[in-house]
Amino acid sequence: MTDIVANIILIDDDSVRAAASVELLQSLGHSVRVIQDPFGVNEPLDYGSEVDLLVCETSLTQFSWESARDAILDLDIHVPAIMFADEAEAQIILTALRLGVSDFFVRPILDVNALNASIERCVKRRRIRQELSDSKRALEHTNTELRDAVTVLEQDQQAGRQVQLRMLPNSPLAVDGYEFRHSMYPSLFLSGDFVEYVTVGDDHVVFFMADVSGHGSSSAFATVLLKNLFARKRSDFIRRNDHTLLDLGAMLEHANKELLDLAVGKYATMIVGLLNIKENTLAYSVAGHLPQPILKTPLGADYLVGEGAPVGLMEHARYCVHEVQLPSEFMLIMFSDGVLELIDGEDLIAKESNLRSMIDSSRGDYQAVLEDLGVAQAREIPDDIAALFITRAANNG
């Protein structure tokens, strides 16, 4: 008896010989069905077949294994086979090997344990291959579903990217001699970086740069919230003469509260600014943002001072507002911290110093600055990079 019960098809057209083989195989505990014609098997013999083993007689009355070898090899047979023969002739053994037979036994079979061990090996290998085939099909099905899901996700991300791009302000925007430009370089489809600038009344332009923690959709959604906040306050200014938008500290406090209320674990570093185009002055506030704004003038480039907590972290955060009298000619440059990934330096201080030096030595416009920093031509962006430039030429003084 055996621990493995094999479902065997015996191919033999000699009824007496077949009966003896059936008796032998059944004595070992296996299930046997006899078929006289090798091409008369009416069930599939692929990986999913219920047949575990073919036992084939080499000497069939009206059939030649050698003549039918090519036809048999063309069949989709994935069930192992064992051959029985009356004698071990070289040609017979060679034919069996060419047909891919797993084992060969010469009658009378005296060592039934060897036969049974061979049957068990064949069945075990077949069932392992069947399990592997089932696993492969399941994996292929899963991969197909995954590819379909990724395709849908990419389409959604691309659509979201187009929406996010449409939310950005016009670039360039010219306002009474001042020029506003921005560039966005996302590491993924959607970005957690965002810039905005809007005119407020006749004398002011409010702008901000935000860098939301994390990447992808959730960070991009937070940028929508921040844009919506400034849009609402601008509407309040126009319709209700509400001047909250001109109070940078209050705007950051509103942004802080809305991100906390969102309760998705997102915070944002921000730079908010208020440009008085009539007086050529700048009010600004920094909420945990690095690098800080850089003011480039004919005398050189340097960071504007300012510090504060990111919005969305602390419930009662307060923000300091600084004021600067601007020269007649300047370029105010703001980056999200992704730009520091492209700057050489052993630590953050060194990177910030090198960034300032590179901007100081750049003698071109905003495009030249981006090229000098390696932003414009970067093939791989390790982190989102946002850039905002506010420029005033000398002839506008």
Side-chain angles (χ1 to χ4, degrees):
M1 296 295 290
T2 179
D3 293 333
I4 296 178
V5 178
N7 183 15
I8 299 174
I9 288 181
L10 174 65
I11 300 175
D12 194 345
D13 58 3
D14 186 313
S15 59
V16 175
R17 187 174 57 196
S21 296
V22 169
E23 182 180 358
L24 172 61
L25 295 171
Q26 288 181 340
S27 70
L28 297 174
H30 302 298
S31 173
V32 187
R33 181 158 51 95
V34 179
I35 293 178
Q36 294 183 342
D37 181 2
F39 292 106
V41 181
N42 294 322
E43 55 189 289
L45 297 177
D46 56 11
Y47 284 117
S49 174
E50 295 183 359
V51 178
D52 293 315
L53 180 67
L54 299 175
V55 175
C56 307
E57 173 58 46
T58 58
S59 302
L60 300 178
T61 304
Q62 296 181 347
F63 183 85
S64 170
W65 291 103
E66 177 64 28
S67 300
R69 180 171 64 88
D70 292 340
I72 293 174
L73 291 176
D74 289 337
L75 298 176
D76 186 26
I77 298 177
H78 297 281
V79 174
I82 291 175
M83 279 227 175
F84 287 175
D86 290 327
E87 53 185 322
E89 292 183 5
Q91 185 61 40
I92 295 176
I93 295 175
L94 183 60
T95 298
L97 292 175
R98 287 174 175 172
L99 289 171
V101 171
S102 299
D103 213 338
F104 190 92
F105 289 89
V106 179
R107 280 187 300 269
I109 301 174
L110 301 178
D111 191 350
V112 294
N113 290 329
L115 172 61
N116 195 54
S118 179
I119 293 173
E120 289 187 348
R121 284 195 302 270
C122 289
V123 174
K124 286 180 180 178
R125 285 198 297 266
R126 181 191 175 278
R127 290 179 180 175
I128 289 173
R129 287 195 296 268
Q130 188 175 35
E131 290 175 359
L132 290 175
S133 177
D134 291 342
S135 297
K136 180 181 178 181
R137 284 195 296 271
L139 181 60
E140 290 173 347
H141 178 70
T142 300
N143 285 340
T144 299
E145 291 184 335
L146 181 59
R147 283 193 296 269
D148 292 342
V150 169
T151 298
V152 172
L153 178 60
E154 288 182 347
Q155 291 172 347
D156 289 345
Q157 294 277 299
Q158 288 171 346
R161 175 64 179 155
Q162 292 304 313
V163 171
Q164 192 174 37
L165 288 174
R166 289 180 177 275
M167 290 169 50
L168 292 168
N170 293 331
S171 181
L173 173 68
V175 181
D176 288 352
Y178 297 87
E179 184 179 79
F180 293 76
R181 288 182 179 270
H182 66 79
S183 294
M184 302 289 292
Y185 303 89
S187 58
L188 301 174
F189 286 108
L190 296 174
S191 175
D193 292 355
F194 197 78
V195 298
E196 176 69 299
Y197 38 81
V198 293
T199 57
V200 184
D202 296 328
D203 299 333
H204 296 92
V205 178
V206 171
F207 62 88
F208 76 81
M209 171 176 285
D211 183 353
V212 181
S213 59
H215 301 278
S217 301
S218 59
S219 298
F221 292 152
T223 67
V224 176
L225 180 146
L226 294 174
K227 177 180 174 64
N228 183 57
L229 167 64
F230 279 75
R232 293 199 320 266
K233 293 305 179 182
R234 184 169 186 260
S235 177
D236 290 344
F237 178 90
I238 296 172
R239 297 183 179 185
R240 301 191 301 180
N241 199 30
D242 182 342
H243 284 62
T244 302
L245 184 59
L246 303 180
D247 186 342
L248 302 183
M251 289 301 298
L252 285 174
E253 290 175 13
H254 280 295
N256 184 60
K257 182 178 185 304
E258 295 209 2
L259 276 180
L260 286 172
D261 290 345
L262 192 61
V264 293
K266 292 294 180 181
Y267 65 90
T269 65
M270 294 185 69
I271 300 171
V272 294
L274 175 65
L275 180 66
N276 187 320
I277 57 180
K278 182 177 181 180
E279 303 293 337
N280 194 33
T281 59
L282 170 69
Y284 70 94
S285 184
V286 179
H289 192 90
L290 291 175
Q292 292 171 310
I294 296 178
L295 181 62
K296 179 178 173 62
T297 71
L299 299 178
D302 209 348
Y303 288 104
L304 296 179
V305 299
E307 60 182 16
V311 296
L313 278 182
M314 298 182 294
E315 185 176 355
H316 300 294
R318 295 293 180 265
Y319 301 93
C320 180
V321 178
H322 304 269
E323 294 189 7
V324 176
Q325 178 65 54
L326 296 170
S328 59
E329 178 183 355
F330 70 88
M331 178 185 290
L332 182 62
I333 305 168
M334 287 156 278
F335 285 106
S336 61
D337 63 359
V339 73
L340 297 174
E341 299 290 338
L342 304 179
I343 307 299
D344 293 332
E346 296 181 355
D347 53 29
L348 178 60
I349 294 177
K351 286 175 176 286
E352 289 182 321
S353 177
N354 291 337
L355 173 62
R356 186 203 64 77
S357 296
M358 294 172 73
I359 291 176
D360 189 22
S361 61
S362 177
R363 300 304 174 187
D365 58 7
Y366 80 101
Q367 189 62 42
V369 172
L370 293 175
E371 292 176 357
D372 290 344
L373 296 178
V375 177
Q377 61 269 34
R379 294 184 178 181
E380 293 185 4
I381 303 296
D383 191 8
D384 298 338
I385 298 177
L388 173 58
F389 297 83
I390 304 174
T391 305
R392 187 172 191 258
N395 56 8
N396 290 314

